[in-house]
Amino acid sequence: MAVEGRSGHKDLSNKSKEQSGLMDMHPRHRQRGTAGTKGRTRTPHPGTETTQSRNKATSYLSPANVKVGTTLIIAAFVGVLHWGYISALFENDRHFSHLSTLEREMAFRTEMGLYYSFFKSIIEAPSYLSGLLFIMNDNVTEYPSVINTLKRFNVYPEVILAGLFRIYTSTMSVVGIETKTCWTVNRGNELSPVESCEGLGDPAYFYVTLIFILNGLMMSLFYIYGTYLSGSRFGGLMTVLCFFYNHGESTRVMWTPPLRESFSYPFLVLQMFILTYILRTPTPGRRSMLVLCVSNICFMLPWQFAQFVLLTQIASLFAIYIIGYLDSEKFLNILYTHMVSLGLCFILMFGNSMLLTSYYASSLVVICVIAISRNFLKLEKMALISWVLQVLIWIFGTVALKALTSMILGVRDDAHIFNILKSKFTSYKDFDTLMYTCAPEFDFMENETPWRYLKTLLLPVVILVFLAICVRTLKDILTSSRKKHTRGQDNESWEHSTSGELFGWIFSRLNRPLFIFIVVILMSIQGVSNIQTQLNIKGEFSNIAQEELLEWIKFSTKPNAVFAGAMPTMASVKLSTGRPIVNHPHYEDAGLRARTKMVYSMYSRKHAKEVKKLLIDMGVQYFILEDAWCTRRTK
């Protein structure tokens, strides 16, 4: 059904742009349309006020304040720069400013359209509360079931953005400020003109703009984080530069704004920054732990896969703990903070059991038990055996506890995750694993990916840093074993392991500015080319066949007509027509996976009568058959 393709460029997103409905850009022309103190007083001695003013000015202009101010100014600049950059890429890719409301909704393919539909439901409701209650008692997304979408999906970002949109438009209406400008766009090719609106008063514009602003703030955080790690503002700039040079490998927000990581990624950077501060601080206070807890929540709530990122983080902390770089008290405080944030997310998601049955939750419990009982597990004269023993207890304990909690709570929603891993390393396959591994996101890393990192020197630098840390750690372990350092003394290594200590042996033999200048030049050869390639992507969204389908559904079927079909198309049907659907692209539910398999039997070798009976039993009245699913060849 979709008309796809681009002119004169290679598709760099590699992932989520399949079936994006892009075609060669054709010019669109638009025409403007409508759319007091009582008591005694003191007289200061001459010159006193002047002296006080000078002292204040001197304190404000102290070197420390100037350094902080300069850092914040640069952080703001790189944030605005990234905001503008991803906004330009998005506009170039879709010609978003010239699309109609329907075309903008169709441009949000697959899961993106599903998530945006909840934002649309709330802003179109008579009141914010009624819209919120509607999505909490939703009988449209998985007809005939009634579901609480705040429990099933990670749609808190849409709930918050919808509230901000209603506040913004109401406020602007009261003060009499126009929030959008509308145009008539001539699409050419004998297509009918459409109305296109620009400005924050347009829901889709407001939605993507706030996502891009959030990801601009993410770049500001990256700069501050890089500056903090390196102890130099130049280190922060190098961090930003590396991100831009590897932009296509670092984010896909410019192609797919509504995806969950677009909301979570910035809070991950904040969370890592706060965690690094806690690790470097001898006695971090409660305020630091509170900020860590909040950043954990903001990271986990929008994204169902955030738990896997935090699992790897906890595993890394466990590694530095068992070799003696992290004291028990601080480590346990970090674990407790993670547990509290996980519990709060469980409550905010109305008891989403997948959070409690995750490997992340089980790992937290097992590692916490190991840390508390460390004195019983530690073998003074056989440290290596102790480390191996603790790692084995952690691995087997996590798997066993996860299986036990899943069995007790009767949760099978994440059972497919283990099957996906099994399918990657064995010949095992079933319907769900094939559905997942057909998407590049869940397949093995492309062969070209390491080569792209190599050409920008990112991979060699990371390997160099990793080896330097390993060598330094090994030296510390050997020194510690000889001198029998206490755990408090071990912690000094954490506090002073700066880049200067790690790489001082290099800079003592080379001219440091010259060395860094040469590295930046070599990185820039491919990095600048990558940026230019992204900026040269020109396209325009158009999917006439789907547009005609959606228009037909809106005007030729009843409002309660029930539809089934391919998952990406169902998201568009729900978003643009409001019709009930029986399946959708969010695949993290056992019941939904089983339902999708029945719907997809239309493309199987089953007899037509058998398939028809299956669909009628599910309450389906219309099935959208896409012949491309029958004829195209994919793995």
Side-chain angles (χ1 to χ4, degrees):
M1 294 173 56
V3 181
E4 305 182 11
R6 283 202 186 89
S7 60
H9 69 84
K10 178 182 177 183
D11 186 352
L12 295 181
S13 64
N14 296 323
K15 297 180 181 177
S16 55
K17 302 183 70 173
E18 181 183 356
Q19 296 182 335
S20 61
L22 294 169
M23 64 181 295
D24 292 345
M25 184 176 71
H26 52 79
R28 291 188 177 207
H29 305 285
R30 60 187 183 184
Q31 303 160 355
R32 192 165 192 125
T34 55
T37 301
K38 295 183 180 179
R40 307 184 206 178
T41 61
R42 288 183 178 177
T43 303
H45 293 292
T48 302
E49 290 186 4
T50 304
T51 303
Q52 291 174 347
S53 300
R54 286 175 180 170
N55 290 337
K56 281 187 177 181
T58 303
S59 63
Y60 289 142
L61 295 176
S62 65
N65 287 343
V66 170
K67 183 177 181 180
V68 170
T70 305
T71 300
L72 293 178
I73 291 172
I74 298 175
F77 172 76
V78 298
V80 172
L81 182 65
H82 190 239
W83 170 23
Y85 182 67
I86 56 180
S87 298
L89 293 178
F90 182 71
E91 171 64 19
N92 292 345
D93 184 50
R94 285 172 171 77
H95 212 188
F96 197 72
S97 61
H98 287 60
L99 299 182
S100 66
T101 298
L102 179 58
E103 287 175 315
R104 287 173 180 171
E105 290 179 352
M106 289 192 300
F108 296 144
R109 295 281 298 175
T110 63
E111 281 185 81
M112 296 187 287
L114 179 68
Y115 296 131
Y116 183 77
S117 70
F118 301 120
F119 171 81
K120 181 180 178 182
S121 295
I122 297 177
I123 65 173
E124 291 184 349
S127 67
Y128 178 78
L129 183 59
S130 63
L132 186 60
L133 291 175
F134 173 76
I135 69 169
M136 291 174 66
N137 299 274
D138 184 348
N139 64 345
V140 177
T141 305
E142 292 182 10
Y143 182 88
S145 303
V146 177
I147 61 173
N148 180 353
T149 58
L150 289 181
K151 178 179 180 180
R152 279 288 308 281
F153 312 123
N154 299 75
V155 293
Y156 268 98
E158 281 66 30
V159 171
I160 295 171
L161 289 182
L164 293 176
F165 179 79
R166 295 185 73 113
I167 293 172
Y168 171 76
T169 53
S170 300
T171 303
M172 295 298 104
S173 177
V174 170
V175 299
I177 298 177
E178 292 291 333
T179 60
K180 62 181 178 180
T181 303
C182 296
W183 315 78
T184 298
V185 178
N186 297 318
R187 297 190 288 176
N189 294 342
E190 299 182 353
L191 298 174
S192 59
V194 294
E195 184 182 69
S196 178
C197 298
E198 289 184 84
L200 292 179
D202 178 79
Y205 241 90
F206 182 91
Y207 185 82
V208 298
T209 298
L210 262 66
I211 293 174
F212 292 154
I213 290 175
L214 179 62
N215 282 264
L217 289 173
M218 178 191 71
M219 188 57 69
S220 298
L221 284 171
F222 262 125
Y223 171 77
I224 295 172
Y225 190 22
T227 300
Y228 178 72
L229 281 172
S230 63
S232 164
R233 289 191 291 272
F234 185 78
L237 290 175
M238 285 290 291
T239 304
V240 172
L241 200 63
C242 287
F243 192 98
F244 271 100
Y245 284 173
N246 299 274
H247 199 270
E249 310 297 325
S250 304
T251 181
R252 53 179 178 171
V253 65
M254 58 282 187
W255 314 130
T256 55
L259 289 185
R260 301 299 85 188
E261 67 262 30
S262 299
F263 297 98
S264 278
Y265 197 177
F267 293 104
L268 174 62
V269 182
L270 175 63
Q271 192 264 1
M272 292 190 299
F273 178 35
I274 299 302
L275 181 60
T276 304
Y277 171 80
I278 290 172
L279 293 174
R280 283 187 169 187
T281 305
T283 54
R286 292 183 179 179
R287 185 179 301 176
S288 301
M289 293 299 176
L290 178 61
V291 177
L292 179 64
C293 180
V294 172
S295 60
N296 278 346
I297 293 171
C298 292
F299 175 53
M300 278 191 285
L301 272 184
W303 194 22
Q304 66 269 32
F305 295 131
Q307 54 177 290
F308 298 104
V309 178
L310 293 178
L311 173 62
T312 61
Q313 185 183 93
I314 290 298
S316 302
L317 290 174
F318 182 54
I320 65 174
Y321 165 70
I322 63 176
I323 64 176
Y325 274 84
L326 187 57
D327 63 82
S328 295
E329 183 180 359
K330 184 185 292 187
F331 185 47
L332 284 170
N333 285 336
I334 293 173
L335 292 176
Y336 296 152
T337 303
H338 274 267
M339 288 178 175
V340 171
S341 56
L342 180 64
L344 291 174
C345 284
F346 177 76
I347 295 171
L348 289 171
M349 294 193 70
F350 297 87
N352 187 319
S353 54
M354 282 186 66
L355 292 173
L356 296 185
T357 60
S358 64
Y359 287 103
Y360 167 58
S362 299
S363 183
L364 280 174
V365 174
V366 173
I367 292 177
C368 190
V369 171
I370 293 174
I372 292 174
S373 58
R374 176 78 180 254
N375 293 332
F376 299 100
L377 294 172
K378 187 175 181 181
L379 303 175
E380 293 288 345
K381 297 183 179 179
M382 294 179 286
L384 183 60
I385 296 177
S386 172
W387 299 344
V388 173
L389 180 62
Q390 291 176 75
V391 170
L392 290 176
I393 292 174
W394 167 59
I395 294 175
F396 289 106
T398 298
V399 173
L401 184 58
K402 188 259 185 294
L404 180 63
T405 53
S406 297
M407 182 180 66
I408 293 175
L409 298 177
V411 174
R412 293 181 45 82
D413 294 336
D414 58 352
H416 62 297
I417 296 174
F418 179 76
N419 290 338
I420 293 172
L421 293 174
K422 186 165 66 171
S423 70
K424 287 179 176 292
F425 302 102
T426 68
S427 60
Y428 176 83
K429 60 182 178 180
D430 58 18
F431 178 80
D432 297 328
T433 58
L434 289 173
M435 287 290 289
Y436 268 98
T437 54
C438 273
E441 296 90 338
F442 296 95
D443 201 359
F444 283 109
M445 183 173 63
E446 296 175 335
N447 294 331
E448 293 181 5
T449 300
W451 178 242
R452 289 194 288 264
Y453 289 139
L454 187 65
K455 288 193 289 186
T456 59
L457 293 189
L458 184 64
L459 187 58
V461 170
V462 169
I463 292 175
L464 175 63
V465 171
F466 176 72
L467 292 175
I469 291 174
C470 289
V471 170
R472 172 60 189 269
T473 302
L474 184 59
K475 285 183 178 180
D476 284 351
I477 292 172
L478 294 175
T479 303
S480 178
S481 63
R482 286 196 299 266
K483 296 184 178 180
K484 298 181 179 180
H485 279 182
T486 63
R487 191 164 294 278
Q489 290 169 310
D490 288 341
N491 207 37
E492 293 178 3
S493 299
W494 213 175
E495 296 165 31
H496 299 292
S497 293
T498 62
S499 57
E501 289 215 7
L502 285 173
F503 303 106
W505 60 275
I506 296 179
F507 298 131
S508 64
R509 295 167 173 81
L510 297 172
N511 184 302
R512 181 175 181 175
L514 179 62
F515 176 79
I516 295 176
F517 177 75
I518 293 174
V519 171
V520 171
I521 292 297
L522 293 176
M523 290 172 59
S524 302
I525 295 173
Q526 183 62 39
V528 172
S529 176
N530 289 346
I531 293 174
Q532 290 175 341
T533 301
Q534 283 196 320
L535 290 173
N536 287 336
I537 294 176
K538 304 291 182 182
E540 182 168 320
F541 180 87
S542 183
N543 193 336
I544 303 304
Q546 188 178 34
E547 183 178 339
E548 292 173 347
L549 169 68
L550 296 175
E551 293 287 0
W552 180 86
I553 292 174
K554 284 195 287 187
F555 295 108
S556 303
T557 66
K558 296 180 180 179
N560 60 350
V562 183
F563 284 79
M567 291 185 288
T569 306
M570 287 302 96
S572 294
V573 169
K574 178 186 183 297
L575 169 59
S576 299
T577 71
R579 300 302 191 266
I581 58 175
V582 300
N583 64 308
H584 54 74
H586 195 280
Y587 215 56
E588 311 305 316
D589 178 77
L592 195 277
R593 291 196 296 274
R595 182 182 296 200
T596 298
K597 185 176 182 180
M598 288 191 288
V599 170
Y600 276 48
S601 64
M602 178 64 79
Y603 300 104
S604 71
R605 297 177 181 176
K606 292 183 179 179
H607 195 279
K609 289 184 179 180
E610 183 182 353
V611 176
K612 181 179 179 181
K613 184 179 184 305
L614 275 175
L615 295 175
I616 291 176
D617 290 344
M618 295 171 67
V620 176
Q621 295 173 309
Y622 293 88
F623 185 93
I624 299 177
L625 181 68
E626 301 179 51
D627 55 3
W629 285 69
C630 301
T631 58
R632 70 181 180 180
R633 289 289 179 265
T634 71
K635 63 175 181 178

